[in-house]
Amino acid sequence: MNGPQDVGGRHGFGTVVPEDESLRFHADWEKRVLGVTIAAASLGHWNLDASRFARESLPPAIYYGASYYEIWLRALEGLLERAGEVSKRERSTGRAETRGLRAERCLSADAVDAVLSKGSPSSRPGADPKFSIGDMVRTLNLQPSGHTRLPGYARARTGRVTAYHGSHVFPDTHSSFDGEKPCPLYTVCFEAVELFGETADPTLSVSIDAWEPYLERA
Amino acid sequence: MNGPQDVGGRHGFGTVVPEDESLRFHADWEKRVLGVTIAAASLGHWNLDASRFARESLPPAIYYGASYYEIWLRALEGLLERAGEVSKRERSTGRAETRGLRAERCLSADAVDAVLSKGSPSSRPGADPKFSIGDMVRTLNLQPSGHTRLPGYARARTGRVTAYHGSHVFPDTHSSFDGEKPCPLYTVCFEAVELFGETADPTLSVSIDAWEPYLERA
Amino acid sequence: MHDHSETDGDMDDMTARVLALETVLVEKGLIDPKAVEAIIETYEHKVGPRNGAAVVARAWCDEDFAELLERDATAAIASMGFVGRQGEHMVAVFNSSVEHNIVVCTLCSCYPWPVLGLPPSWYKSPAYRARAVREPRSVLEEFGIALPKETRIRVWDSTAEIRYLVIPERPTGTEGMSEAQLSDLVTRDSMIGCGFARSPGPA
Amino acid sequence: MHDHSETDGDMDDMTARVLALETVLVEKGLIDPKAVEAIIETYEHKVGPRNGAAVVARAWCDEDFAELLERDATAAIASMGFVGRQGEHMVAVFNSSVEHNIVVCTLCSCYPWPVLGLPPSWYKSPAYRARAVREPRSVLEEFGIALPKETRIRVWDSTAEIRYLVIPERPTGTEGMSEAQLSDLVTRDSMIGCGFARSPGPA
């Protein structure tokens, strides 16, 4: 979606404020958001792509006014509500009114290390790739209202394939629970002048990782 | 600028809420913002394009969280501060600490009708137009950090010239007080599929008004 | 974006904020409170969509006027006394059974003040500005308007100082009505392209 | 975007908000508070940028490892025991005197957790995400870094599940230093491309 998350190349967000690397959290509530978000993912009501879609679907005024942990929390609330696990009223009272639907999938403390260490690889067996490293490709002008990972600044632009990563789960379908539909994933590199116009930094190139359905031969 | 104002074609802003046409204002403070904004423009510290730039330069979190009259007020505060007329401290105390710089240009009540009726035409004598009605043109990939009136959704797109309006003040320079630099102004019409991709409404076309420096022959 | 039912606190803040600024400006002699009042009075009571409705009604009744409106809308509209700020360069666009016109300003809130007055909140909302250019049919549905599938839609994004006035189709069953009667059928929304003129008869 | 000095009120709201959700989830048996604690413990104390620094130091010292890191970063990094969530598919990119690499996720906050831990606030900020792809030099200036004008810059936007680790250049004057000593020179920011490794000597 052309949502608030799609900020690459946009103006007006101000300066970047470096931060000491020893700092892990800015407040205790951020820790809880991290822990609860990861633990709740084990219930299996959604996948990573669906959770990204929930975050970028927050209204722009909220998205831009929130820290990233607040974005996580608000998205998590919505995901749990749509899964039928926690209603708005339960959130506001802090008291459960119904039983959990998937308590049997509750992540136990014992299992945390194994789950975090295992991760969730997104590579899958898939079709042979249509493009080869070195090919010039053009991104399509895709503007779905649903989730996509083709950023706006790199839409309808010509670049070169610099890597092929095998087939990966396709977020555009996976995010809406329409299947993993794995397809070839490439790194595509663009000159900045192609992306941002003739006044862009001539020493700069930018790459994205792009699934085959985002691309056509240039 | 690729700022918060550039919302054409973006997702996530929700529904449109119709409003009875007898409603003029939602609160008395909106009336004051209207009146003060128009009256203060007579001081001549800025022009219409500069005031638009001030509005779109508000941080996105503020821009999207504000009603339009709030956007006007916040921008007016910034314009008056940069003009040296009203400091931040004066705003917060509500008490003047220095004299007005351009009190001699204060809009009098008597002059209001004439000023509003006269308006500020932006047409100017200018060069002959490079394009003719019916010509196919392509908008350039212009992404200045300053003010521009080429919306993002219509950048690097091909359309047809459907009207020529003579030369008009060029907002890209006028907004930064770099001169009126009038140039030919056209209406350029695009098919929606050209703008938004193949899934767009095939019965839809969208036109923008575009100054000649935004265009090249297609 | 602005939910007025939840923002009474905000509005008080805004009242204080604009009052502080206005007070300082008046104290410095930079604005005259009477001028501010005169501006408010103009757009609260004098300049509004009934101006545009009169233009539309005349165009329905007077072919010469309609022709001038199509050729030089600024002159045609000025001939009825409607001139000034945010209407310096007017273009009239005519709806028909095959094409429907809609006006938007995606980049700010440009609107033809001399004929329509101040824009409604929704016209200035990111929702309208974002969606009018991409999915006008779904926007029209929120106004209770369904266009035939085959009707062509042309959206006019007011990116310069040209201001657009939509001339809606004359409703059927209005033969013999006076200009004044006809103008009562012309809604503001129909002159933006987000509605039709009303049919005559009991409201 | 989030000014922490001004948002103590907000943070209290957030504390209450997450507490309410967590309480309901625990009551329903959907999360185990001990699991939540174990997750926090992992990313607060166990998994962080010292992992990545060890990878970089080894790459500086061990040509075979560097070669494997370039060819199959996932395997190379796993060989040091760093695996898991948000590091399933790793790519290492090597800075040189002619090319500087920078990593961003313009669409959310993708980041190589097993080697760098949790991303810093700025990495997730719209400011960094917006500007890293368009004007990385001015972003680097805000980190106190000036790149030579002729240095090529390559920005890696993490739009899929591939995670990028920048291998900064080995500082001069580090001959004979141990891997452990070298890893102390490797800053988190240098592994994102927003800094250089430190020079040895008094800090």
Side-chain angles (χ1 to χ4, degrees), chain A residues 4-218:
Chain A
Q5 87 291 356
D6 189 19
V7 296
R10 300 198 72 78
H11 296 114
F13 288 109
T15 56
V16 175
V17 183
E19 189 171 275
D20 193 274
E21 84 172 58
S22 65
L23 188 65
R24 289 288 180 276
F25 297 97
H26 295 85
D28 280 346
W29 68 263
E30 295 187 345
K31 302 182 190 179
R32 309 313 298 181
V33 172
L34 173 79
V36 172
T37 299
I38 292 177
S42 285
L43 301 172
H45 284 299
W46 56 84
N47 57 56
L48 181 61
D49 296 305
S51 67
R52 287 191 184 125
F53 188 43
R55 289 167 197 157
E56 66 203 30
S57 295
L58 293 171
I62 287 177
Y63 189 97
Y64 293 131
S67 72
Y68 215 82
Y69 281 114
E70 180 175 341
I71 290 172
W72 272 32
L73 176 59
R74 287 177 177 270
L76 178 63
E77 291 171 346
L79 288 163
L80 285 164
E81 188 175 329
R82 289 190 288 280
E85 289 287 23
V86 181
S87 70
K88 191 171 175 179
R89 197 167 81 171
E90 289 173 316
R91 289 204 308 273
S92 79
T93 62
R95 298 185 63 95
E97 296 180 2
T98 59
R99 297 187 49 184
L101 302 176
R102 293 200 181 168
E104 78 284 1
R105 299 189 57 163
C106 176
L107 177 67
S108 70
D110 303 348
V112 165
D113 274 355
V115 163
L116 296 180
S117 299
K118 183 162 170 273
S120 306
S122 61
S123 53
R124 298 286 184 276
D128 286 341
K130 203 162 117 189
F131 306 113
S132 306
I133 292 174
D135 283 358
M136 296 303 291
V137 292
R138 188 166 177 83
T139 52
L140 299 173
N141 184 9
L142 298 172
Q143 304 193 31
S145 57
H147 184 65
T148 186
R149 295 290 287 184
L150 177 60
Y153 74 84
R155 211 153 47 198
R157 293 286 176 271
T158 301
R160 185 181 297 277
V161 173
T162 63
Y164 165 60
H165 302 285
S167 280
H168 282 249
V169 172
F170 190 47
D172 299 47
T173 52
H174 198 223
S175 56
S176 51
F177 308 103
D178 292 319
E180 293 196 336
K181 309 206 168 144
C183 42
L185 178 70
Y186 307 90
T187 299
V188 180
C189 188
F190 307 87
E191 296 302 313
V193 291
E194 167 73 5
L195 300 175
F196 304 119
E198 297 195 353
T199 60
D201 184 342
T203 66
L204 174 62
S205 59
V206 179
S207 64
I208 64 169
D209 294 330
W211 284 262
E212 199 167 275
Y214 296 170
L215 305 171
E216 65 183 2
R217 199 169 295 278

Side-chain angles (χ1 to χ4, degrees), chain D residues 11 15 18 27 49 69 77-78 89 103 108-109 129-130 140-141 167 184 188:
Chain D
M11 288 208 223
T15 299
V18 67
E27 213 182 322
L69 190 62
I77 291 167
H89 309 284
V103 181
C108 53
S109 61
R129 291 156 52 194
L140 291 180
E141 279 169 21
I167 311 298
D184 285 343
R188 175 197 60 202

